[in-house]
Amino acid sequence: MRHTFLCLDGHTGGNPVRVIAGGGPVLKGRTMSEKRQDFLAHHDWIRTALMFEPRGHDMMSGAIFYPACSPNADASILFVETSGCLPMCGHGTIGAVTLALENGLIQVRDRNQIILDTPAGQIRADIEWDGAHVAGVRIFNVTSFLAHKAVEIHSPELGRLTVDIAYGGNFYAIIESQDGYRDLADYTPSQLVSMSPAIRAAAGAAAECVHPDDATVHGVSHVMWTGAPTVEGAHARNAVFYGERAIDRSPCGTGTSARMAQLEARGDLRVGDEFIHESVIGSLFHGRVEAADSLGGQPAIRPSIRGWAVQTGINTIFVDDRDPFRDGFQLS
């Protein structure tokens, strides 16, 4: 049997986005968190087939739109990428919304504002138009918080490190300048990829990370390497490791949310402050601390992130059951 998937391809700030516009599965569940669990249990082969080689690559990130779960929402969205079926993806939302609106994939009440149900919770996206094209998207992300501070771990390459762990839709181990580590500029992307899995595993073992409202969202999944900005106007630079071999080319939306939550918790940002985050390739996300909040009895923030995306093509992908690499593969 041959399975056919119609995809819209693009990128957000340099990181790929693949919207699966046709061929996605019908999912069971009342909420997107429940639908995410159904996808993982019964349909994850679609993710690996379309994100992994030979039809994708180590950085590939995708999304599937579904009908709204909530009465006030315009649509729901599921995130599929090489690192898994994520609760939330910032660059993926910016890219998927851009591609969906420009191609008429979803119908919305207000073309300037979209409400989306995600596995991590409900978010809003404000749309900036330039004629028929989307010039920018600002997403008002889920509640974000500093989960653990000053967690001591050991890196085989760097020795003793202290990391903060923050949540912005996923849990991030954040590495800042200290003895043994100065700046991400001192390392090549390949070196960061090589060092990151051990750091992620050590951070996850040292501190329990479970979302207060949804126990299916747990564990450190990303590592953020920080550094001084190189682009005028940026406040900080970062490189986020995800999956097994990926460095985010964009400034990372959930990562920027987690970073703002960390900085606000220690008094370096306040409500209303802007935070312009630079990626490893120089693209920018414009973050803002929108409001103070709380989650599970601990202080938190409501962040927003603005970015842009561009469509690169329309892709019809076949997944043939006769193909020995039907489910995709990764080299590591």
Side-chain angles (χ1 to χ4, degrees):
M1 181 178 178
R2 174 188 285 175
H3 308 270
T4 302
F5 299 92
L6 175 63
C7 301
L8 307 174
D9 283 354
H11 72 88
T12 304
N15 213 51
V17 177
R18 172 169 286 169
V19 176
I20 303 168
V26 175
L27 298 179
K28 297 177 181 178
R30 181 179 55 86
T31 67
M32 281 310 295
S33 179
E34 292 175 357
K35 291 177 187 292
R36 172 176 174 254
Q37 295 306 310
D38 184 59
F39 182 93
L40 286 168
H42 302 107
H43 308 286
D44 200 45
W45 68 270
I46 296 174
R47 177 185 67 85
T48 60
L50 299 184
M51 300 296 112
F52 291 175
E53 295 183 65
R55 304 166 197 89
H57 51 74
D58 287 328
M59 272 63 64
M60 185 58 76
S61 178
I64 310 174
F65 283 99
Y66 285 95
C69 297
S70 305
N72 67 321
D74 295 291
S76 299
I77 187 169
L78 183 78
F79 304 104
V80 292
E81 54 181 64
T82 53
S83 59
C85 186
L86 295 181
M88 176 60 193
C89 182
H91 100 274
T93 301
I94 292 168
V97 165
T98 298
L99 271 55
L101 288 177
E102 290 186 351
N103 288 274
L105 184 61
I106 57 175
Q107 301 299 313
V108 297
R109 300 176 178 93
D110 180 353
R111 72 193 297 263
N112 298 313
Q113 186 180 101
I114 300 174
I115 305 296
L116 291 172
D117 290 321
T118 82
Q122 192 172 95
I123 65 168
R124 187 180 99 219
D126 288 359
I127 314 302
E128 302 168 23
W129 289 93
D130 180 13
H133 296 285
V134 175
V137 177
R138 179 173 289 276
I139 59 172
F140 293 78
N141 198 16
V142 296
T143 300
S144 303
F145 60 95
L146 176 62
H148 301 281
K149 60 182 178 180
V151 177
E152 292 190 2
I153 63 172
H154 176 78
S155 162
E157 296 87 359
L158 302 178
R160 177 182 170 185
L161 292 174
T162 300
V163 303
D164 286 347
I165 300 175
Y167 176 84
N170 304 288
F171 284 102
Y172 287 78
I174 303 174
I175 306 169
E176 298 177 284
S177 181
Q178 58 191 283
D179 292 342
Y181 172 78
R182 187 189 69 89
D183 192 294
L184 71 89
D186 297 336
Y187 305 94
T188 66
S190 294
Q191 288 174 311
L192 297 179
V193 167
S194 178
M195 294 187 291
S196 291
I199 289 174
R200 178 172 60 188
E208 184 179 28
C209 297
V210 181
H211 193 280
D213 291 342
D214 187 349
T216 68
V217 180
H218 59 85
V220 176
S221 54
H222 296 63
V223 176
M224 178 182 289
W225 302 86
T226 69
T230 63
V231 175
E232 184 178 357
H235 296 112
R237 186 171 181 243
N238 86 102
V240 162
F241 170 82
Y242 64 95
E244 299 302 321
R245 297 182 54 82
I247 293 289
D248 199 328
R249 273 63 169 155
S250 83
C252 189
T254 58
T256 299
S257 298
R259 182 76 159 130
M260 288 192 289
Q262 177 214 24
L263 294 174
E264 192 275 341
R266 69 185 190 200
D268 293 333
L269 286 178
R270 293 183 174 88
V271 173
D273 283 351
E274 302 277 342
F275 180 69
I276 301 175
H277 218 187
E278 178 187 341
S279 77
V280 70
I281 63 169
S283 54
L284 301 176
F285 279 172
H286 291 250
R288 186 165 61 228
V289 181
E290 296 291 342
D293 203 348
S294 64
L295 189 65
Q298 61 184 354
I301 65 166
R302 295 301 303 264
S304 73
I305 312 99
R306 184 201 179 277
W308 54 269
V310 174
Q311 185 169 354
T312 57
I314 298 175
N315 199 354
T316 301
I317 299 177
F318 299 137
V319 180
D320 197 314
D321 288 340
R322 300 171 301 167
D323 186 346
F325 302 117
R326 185 198 85 143
D327 293 345
F329 62 86
Q330 283 185 297
L331 291 180
S332 60

